[in-house]
Amino acid sequence: MKIVVNISLKEGVLDPEGQAIKASLNNLGFRNCSDVRTGKQIVLNFNQNNETETLSQAKKMCEKLLVNTVIENYEINILKD
Amino acid sequence: MKIVVNISLKEGVLDPEGQAIKASLNNLGFRNCSDVRTGKQIVLNFNQNNETETLSQAKKMCEKLLVNTVIENYEINILKD
């Protein structure tokens, strides 16, 4: 069973990478992009198929290792193949 | 209108960050995670609402700047609020 964790910066947290991408897009002639935010995506492949159990484990992994909850938000989804 | 671009490494391309995460998860006692792959997520905020036009621009942005199509796959989605 595959789980996708999407991690994004909280609103108000500066995103220099996003700003750099926005500037580069502008230089390439794409001028109608008003804001760019970057984030991370982590795909976890579990050896088990119990949905509730897997989701609760993924949440623990996020809180303990994957996400810096001070500045980042996260979202956990099951990946349907 | 917001567009989400999910960028992931192609199959077969090594992912040292994912391997490091997997090892750390193992050390923390999460032993039922057989594989971890990492990717990027970019949220583009457009000043326009024409879906077809926006999607085609996002595709061009991916091909020209955001994605290294030799080693990465991408997926473009409209973000519904």
Side-chain angles (χ1 to χ4, degrees):
Chain A
M1 160 172 239
K2 284 185 178 177
I3 296 281
V4 186
V5 180
N6 286 317
I7 303 169
S8 57
L9 289 168
K10 288 189 179 172
E11 256 192 67
V13 178
L14 283 182
D15 181 3
E17 190 182 354
Q19 286 168 2
I21 292 174
K22 190 187 152 194
S24 299
L25 285 173
N26 258 292
N27 291 339
L28 286 172
F30 299 106
R31 299 198 194 284
N32 41 13
C33 201
S34 63
D35 191 33
V36 179
R37 300 285 285 177
T38 58
K40 274 178 285 183
Q41 188 176 57
I42 300 175
V43 181
L44 304 161
N45 206 340
F46 281 84
N47 296 329
Q48 60 189 26
N49 281 312
N50 181 331
E51 277 197 17
T52 346
E53 171 72 11
T54 309
L55 285 173
S56 104
Q57 282 214 346
K59 189 158 185 282
K60 278 186 204 151
M61 289 174 176
C62 287
E63 302 282 341
K64 282 200 175 173
L65 178 77
L66 305 175
V67 182
N68 177 352
T69 50
V70 177
I71 55 166
E72 291 171 331
N73 287 323
Y74 66 95
E75 212 184 80
I76 298 172
N77 294 303
I78 295 169
L79 188 68
K80 317 270 182 207
D81 289 319
Chain B
M1 160 172 239
K2 284 186 177 178
I3 295 282
V4 186
V5 181
N6 286 317
I7 303 170
S8 57
L9 289 168
K10 287 188 180 174
E11 257 192 66
V13 177
L14 282 183
D15 181 2
E17 189 181 355
Q19 286 168 2
I21 292 174
K22 190 187 152 194
S24 300
L25 286 173
N26 258 291
N27 291 339
L28 287 172
F30 298 106
R31 300 198 194 284
N32 40 13
C33 201
S34 63
D35 191 33
V36 179
R37 300 285 284 176
T38 57
K40 274 178 285 184
Q41 187 175 58
I42 300 176
V43 181
L44 303 161
N45 206 340
F46 280 85
N47 297 330
Q48 59 190 26
N49 282 312
N50 181 331
E51 277 197 17
T52 346
E53 170 73 11
T54 308
L55 286 172
S56 104
Q57 282 213 345
K59 190 159 185 281
K60 278 187 205 151
M61 289 175 176
C62 287
E63 301 282 341
K64 282 201 175 175
L65 179 75
L66 305 176
V67 182
N68 178 352
T69 50
V70 178
I71 55 166
E72 292 171 330
N73 286 324
Y74 65 96
E75 211 184 81
I76 298 173
N77 293 304
I78 295 168
L79 188 68
K80 318 269 182 206
D81 290 318

